[in-house]
Structures are given as structure tokens and as C-alpha cells.
């Protein structure tokens, strides 16, 4: 590529290092400043915008690179813009390695998209230089790798690339052992035949989620498909709770159920459970309001009403004070990020505490601890709720509110408005009550909804990520709206 003389460069030009005021623009953090190719800053800046487009999927972000270049490119040598594409491609790979958090549930898909975008930039650059571009998609690469793996004998027990990256987590001391096919066979072989189902021959591991230094969940084949979850600390209690819930009417043959626990191996802190094949409720609701979402809302509500009525209440008791503290801390964080919102945040904190139900004014029941649409699978003849790590005992209104707010958040992200799934939310609440759910839950929904709307986007606020102010406005507006909907005298409200 044609070069230019080195010039003064920032070296790490991205949105969080730029502050915009009404009358000025300020650049910060000059720890990486050096003499370098002027195309470097352009490529870094474009890669940063692409990262945030993948991260947040906010409308309009995809147009930012075009708008930036429209202001920067006139009069700039075209060779510099060509080199900027190379730096942008490298910057996207750096973002995939350094900025995608591996404990996030969708980290693998985000990394794949960043790599795909990097490849597109390199293809465009090669074509502009008259070179043959390698236009093989990631899907084609995956298909080739799959075909290659099929040529290995089953005993080879290949571990996929996602799994190999997880092995390096020192916070989960038994993870490397568990993800080693031969070592896992030894531990599985110690199970009674009734639990292991025959001679152990695990064939492949696929990481499903990874929470750094906490737990890693993977899928593997062992006579049948199973899910394994290895913990950083002993969690035999999760297996015990799942067994109790299964016996209380949520077994494999029941219409409303949980993944059936298979075993817990204390030596490696590994929980084994049934793999449930089906459709995630999240995928159904992302299609918007309609007959399918209505039916999905009914199934979710029936499961929850049945669970609240039948499941044994075991685990720690979760009061409202923790939610109040989290909400107040988030309001303080917002006020620090934008002092103009300080009065509004203080007002919200006061209203939230005033709306909190008083201790003893509501019943307690078993809770999954994190009930939302991503934890729910629609299988053949079954509605199954996953992930029991956060089980506790709580106000039933908390689970109902968390599910409704999760639908509102999903609607805002994928359907253009937080109100786009209001019909499904209404069906969910109505069905829950009709199926025997706690009758006074609606009286307490406003507090829990307002509190849950303040739980997200801490990192975006702290780093002033692109669009953070819009997210804050939405959080505050939704919280105030929820409290206003429940305004008035309510039994059990704090005085």
C-alpha cells in the first residue's frame, strides 16, 4: 500500500475518548500518542463504531462511519483511506479479542460478527487493489470444519475452539479437567449405570455460556446429549434443588418442567442435566405481537403460576432492600455521568423507596431468581425453564415484573419501541392470574418494574459508550412511568 510520512496520531481514537459539549469537542487520553501513519486513527475510529453497532444494535449507528468519512474524506489522499480499511480490519479483530466479555451469553456470535466484518473490509481492500479476495464466509468455514471433524473417529473426542479458549480460566480450577475428554470419561465412569446410561464416550464439547471465574456451561454427547455446568465453587445445592422441583410436578413427562438433573460430581464441581431441544421463547417474542407471541405468553404464565403454587420454597429469602440499593446506586451513577440529571435521579430514588412494599405485606414463594424469556424453551409437549443457579424465595410479583420488563427491553431493542409487546405482557399477566397466580401481584408490579428498569447498562454509562444518554433517558422514563402506573394507595405500601 502507498505510504505517507508519519504524523502526529492519537493511537487509540475511539468514541469514549471524545467528549462533546454544546460549544466544543474535547479529545482525551493521550497515553498512546506517537508519530505514525495518519490512516491509523481513521481505522481505529471506524472499528470502534463498528464494535458499538454490533454491541448495541441501535438504529442509526450503522450510518456513523459513512457520516464520519463524508466529513473527513474530502481532500484526503485516497491511498490513506485504503490503508484505513486495513487498520479498521485489524481494529475489529482487536475489539473481538479485548472488548467482548466472554461471560456474556452472546459473546460467540458477537465475536463471529466482528471477524466477519473484518473479513469484508479486507475483501474490499484486496478488490480495490486488483487482488483476488477470499470471499469465503464464516458459515462456509464452519461447514468445512464440520466436514473435517466427521472424518475423525469418534474416540478422538474433538473439542471445539470455543471450548479451548475457556480452558484458560484459572478462576474455575476444575474446568480444564472437565473439558478434557479422557479425564471426563474417568469421572463419568464412576457414576452408577442408572445415571450414566452405559459406557461413557463423550464425543464433542460446545460451550454454551461462560461467566469468568464463576461457571461454564457446555453441551456434549454422552450416549445422549447432556448439558454440563462446572462451577468455581461447590454447588451441589443446585442439583438438590432441581431434584426437589422435578419431584414436585416438574418432571420430564410433565407439560411444565425443568431440565432433569442427572448427577453432580463433587470432585470436579460438575452438574449434569438433560439437554432440552426446542425453541427459545426469546426467538418467538422477537417476531413481535401476534398469535405466536400470545400463545408463548400464555405458556410462560402457566408455567410460572404452577411453579409458584407447587414448588418447594427453598433457598435464601430475597427482600426488596437489595433492589432498592441497586436502584439508588444506579441513580447516583447516572447523576455523576450527567449532573443535569441529578435532581431527577434523586426524585426517582425517593419515589422508588416510597413505593417499595413493606416487609410482611406480601406472601413468599419459590423463585427461579432470573425468570425471563431467554431462560424458557418450548419443546415438544413441554415448556421448560433453564438455569437454577440463582434460585431463592421471594415475592411472586418479582418474577412477574422481571418477565414483563424483559419483554419491554427486548421490544425496545428489536422492535423499535418498548411498547411493541404490551399485548403479550397483558396476556401473560392475565393468564398468570387466571391460572391461580397470587391475586395481589398487580398491586406490587409498579415497584418491581421500576426497580428492574434500573438494573442494566452500567458499563455503557461508566464508559460513556455511544448512545448511553439515550439509554439513560429510556431507563428513567420507564421507571417513572412504572411508578406512576401504580400511584395511589396500595395495601402494604411503605409509609
Amino acid at each position: 500500500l502507498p505510504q505517507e510520512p508519519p504524523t502526529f496520531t492519537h493511537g487509540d481514537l475511539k468514541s469514549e475518548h471524545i467528549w462533546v459539549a454544546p460549544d466544543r469537542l474535547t479529545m482525551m487520553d493521550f497515553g498512546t500518542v506517537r508519530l505514525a501513519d495518519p490512516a491509523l486513527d481513521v481505522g481505529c475510529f471506524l472499528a470502534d463504531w463498528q464494535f458499538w453497532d454490533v454491541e448495541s444494535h441501535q438504529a442509526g449507528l450503522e450510518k456513523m462511519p459513512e457520516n464520519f468519512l463524508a466529513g473527513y474524506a474530502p481532500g484526503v489522499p485516497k491511498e490513506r483511506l485504503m490503508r484505513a480499511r486495513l487498520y479498521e480490519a485489524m481494529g475489529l479483530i482487536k475489539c473481538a479479542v479485548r472488548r467482548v466479555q466472554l461471560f456474556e451469553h452472546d459473546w460467540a456470535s458477537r465475536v463471529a460478527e466482528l471477524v466477519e466484518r473484518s473479513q469484508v473490509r479486507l475483501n474490499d481492500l484486496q478488490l480495490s487493489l486488483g487482488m483476488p479476495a477470499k470471499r469465503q464466509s464464516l458459515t462456509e468455514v464452519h461447514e468445512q470444519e464440520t466436514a473435517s471433524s466427521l472424518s475423525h473417529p469418534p474416540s478422538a473426542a474433538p473439542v471445539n475452539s470455543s471450548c479451548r479458549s475457556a480452558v484458560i480460566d484459572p478462576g474455575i480450577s476444575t474446568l480444564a479437567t472437565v473439558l478434557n475428554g479422557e479425564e471426563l470419561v474417568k469421572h463419568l465412569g464412576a457414576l452408577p449405570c442408572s445415571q450414566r446410561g452405559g459406557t461413557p464416550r463423550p464425543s464433542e464439547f460446545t460451550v454454551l455460556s461462560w461467566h469468568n471465574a464463576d461457571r461454564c456451561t457446555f453441551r456434549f454427547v454422552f450416549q445422549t446429549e447432556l448439558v454440563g455446568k462446572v462451577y468455581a465453587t461447590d454447588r451441589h445445592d443446585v442439583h438438590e434443588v432441581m431434584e426437589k422441583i422435578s419431584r414436585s410436578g416438574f418432571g420430564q413427562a410433565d407439560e411444565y418442567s425443568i431440565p432433569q438433573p442427572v448427577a453432580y460430581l463433587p470432585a470436579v464441581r460438575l452438574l449434569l442435566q438433560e439437554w432440552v431441544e426446542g425453541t427459545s421463547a426469546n426467538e418467538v417474542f422477537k417476531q413481535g405481537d401476534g398469535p405466536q407471541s400470545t400463545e408463548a405468553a400464555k405458556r410462560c404464565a402457566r408455567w410460572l403460576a404452577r411453579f409458584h403454587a407447587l414448588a418447594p420454597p427453598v433457598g435464601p429469602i430475597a427482600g426488596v432492600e437489595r433492589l432498592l440499593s441497586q436502584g439508588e446506586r444506579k441513580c447516583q451513577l447516572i447523576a455523576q455521568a450527567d449532573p443535569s440529571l441529578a435532581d431527577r435521579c434523586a426524585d426517582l430514588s425517593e419515589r422508588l423507596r416510597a413505593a417499595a412494599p413493606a416487609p410482611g405485606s406480601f406472601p413468599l414463594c419459590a423463585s427461579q431468581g432470573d425468570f425471563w424469556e431467554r431462560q424458557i424453551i418450548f419443546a415438544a409437549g413441554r415448556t421448560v425453564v433453564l438455569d437454577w443457579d440463582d434460585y431463592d424465595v421471594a415475592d411472586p410479583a418479582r418474577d412477574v415484573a422481571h418477565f414483563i420488563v424483559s419483554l419491554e427491553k427486548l421490544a425496545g431493542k428489536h422492535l423499535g419501541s418498548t411498547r411493541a409487546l404490551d399485548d403479550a405482557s397483558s396476556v401473560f399477566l392475565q393468564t398468570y392470574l387466571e391460572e391461580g397466580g397470587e391475586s395481589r401481584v398487580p398491586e406490587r408490579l409498579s415497584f418491581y418494574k421500576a426497580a428492574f428498569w434500573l438494573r442494566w447498562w452500567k458499563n455503557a454509562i461508566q464508559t460513556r459508550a455511544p448512545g448511553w444518554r439515550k439509554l439513560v433517558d429510556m431507563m428513567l422514563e420507564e421507571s417513572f412511568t412504572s411508578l406512576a402506573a401504580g400511584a395511589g394507595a396500595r395495601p402494604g405500601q411503605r409509609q
Side-chain angles (χ1 to χ4, degrees), residues 131 242 347:
M131 301 166 59
M242 291 179 70
D347 182 31

Side-chain angles (χ1 to χ4, degrees), residues 214 231-238 240 264-270:
D214 185 18
Y231 297 94
T233 59
D234 180 37
R235 290 303 308 269
H236 70 276
D237 58 299
V238 178
E240 293 175 357
Y264 182 77
L265 305 179
V268 286
R269 300 191 292 274
L270 174 64

Side-chain angles (χ1 to χ4, degrees), residues 12 22 34 36 54 56 61 83 127 156 161 201 212 214 232 245 258 279 299 306 318 344 364 373 389-390 417 442:
D12 191 25
R34 60 188 183 276
V54 172
S56 63
L61 277 184
R83 295 194 308 277
L127 289 172
S161 58
R201 292 180 182 176
N212 190 42
D214 185 18
I245 294 171
I258 67 171
T279 302
R299 292 178 67 172
R306 179 178 173 84
R344 196 176 183 206
L364 296 173
E373 83 285 342
D389 295 337
D390 298 322
S417 169

Side-chain angles (χ1 to χ4, degrees), residues 53-64:
D53 186 32
V54 172
E55 179 83 5
S56 63
H57 294 287
Q58 290 188 57
L61 277 184
E62 72 281 357
K63 298 179 181 179
M64 292 303 295

